[in-house]
Amino acid sequence: MWYIDVPYRYIKQIDLTESLQLPDAEFSSLDASCEDWLHSLPPALRLTTASIYTRKDSSQLGALFLLHCAYHITLCDLYRISMPVLLPGILRTRLSVELTSDQQTFRALYQRKCFEHSKDAAGILMKAVSHGAKYLADTWLCTCAFESTRTMLYYSVQGVDRDQGNNRELVLETIPLFQANMKAMRLMIPLFATAERCVSTTSPC
């Protein structure tokens, strides 16, 4: 499926022998393509009250939630180029380079965008839980919940465009979404072995 590895393929081929200037043309193209894809969806595939109940009646609601979670987590994967610490080891090593002062603007903007998409994914999982655990029956939703959670936690603590004055607001904003992700992952434990590992990794207890 298109959304799983496109961001990682892009990151893997960045030429770090040259000065790192982001966003480059390919990044911007991928970003725009994702947005174009979302806007091209027919009404029946948009995440609306009408489409939710139509898909629920036809037993396709889980697929609709997965489609939209995948969109938001795909953009999180792409935007995490601004948060190298959240990337897998080899990619983190490649991109953990000092940015020039003008590149800090890029990092701040896309960290915020990454945070917003991680919240959107959590909101979708919250909706899925409200309709019943059976709508979480796809193993990739567990990954979506995990990635959404760690992105929100990282940004709340380390985001570069924040000051100490809004830390409390960010935490309060994130808590219900973090709780929703944890609930979703716990509901998935009977379904997928990976869910228990994700819960133990993200749980503060």
Side-chain angles (χ1 to χ4, degrees), residues 73-134:
I73 294 301
T74 294
L75 282 173
C76 281
D77 285 343
L78 180 62
Y79 296 162
R80 268 196 291 267
I81 195 172
S82 67
M83 305 180 188
V85 70
L86 296 182
L87 293 169
I90 188 169
L91 299 181
R92 180 169 63 246
T93 301
R94 282 175 52 79
L95 290 169
S96 293
V97 296
E98 288 295 324
L99 297 182
T100 59
S101 58
D102 62 314
Q103 289 289 291
Q104 291 296 328
T105 301
F106 165 84
R107 178 164 286 182
L109 173 62
Y110 282 94
Q111 282 189 5
R112 182 71 197 192
K113 286 188 174 187
C114 192
F115 176 63
E116 294 297 333
H117 282 285
S118 68
K119 291 195 304 176
D120 289 339
I124 292 169
L125 288 164
M126 189 184 291
K127 282 189 176 71
V129 167
S130 73
H131 286 276
K134 67 181 180 179

Side-chain angles (χ1 to χ4, degrees), residues 25-91:
E26 186 172 3
F27 179 96
S28 299
S29 176
L30 288 171
D31 193 9
S33 293
C34 288
E35 186 172 349
D36 290 346
W37 174 86
L38 182 67
H39 292 317
S40 72
L41 288 177
L45 291 179
R46 296 180 183 273
L47 198 60
T48 63
T49 300
S51 65
I52 285 174
Y53 284 99
T54 298
R55 295 285 165 176
K56 192 171 186 178
D57 287 342
S58 61
S59 300
Q60 297 176 322
L61 183 54
L64 184 66
F65 286 138
L66 174 63
L67 180 71
H68 286 272
C69 258
Y71 165 76
H72 290 294
I73 294 301
T74 294
L75 282 173
C76 281
D77 285 343
L78 180 62
Y79 296 162
R80 268 196 291 267
I81 195 172
S82 67
M83 305 180 188
V85 70
L86 296 182
L87 293 169
I90 188 169
L91 299 181

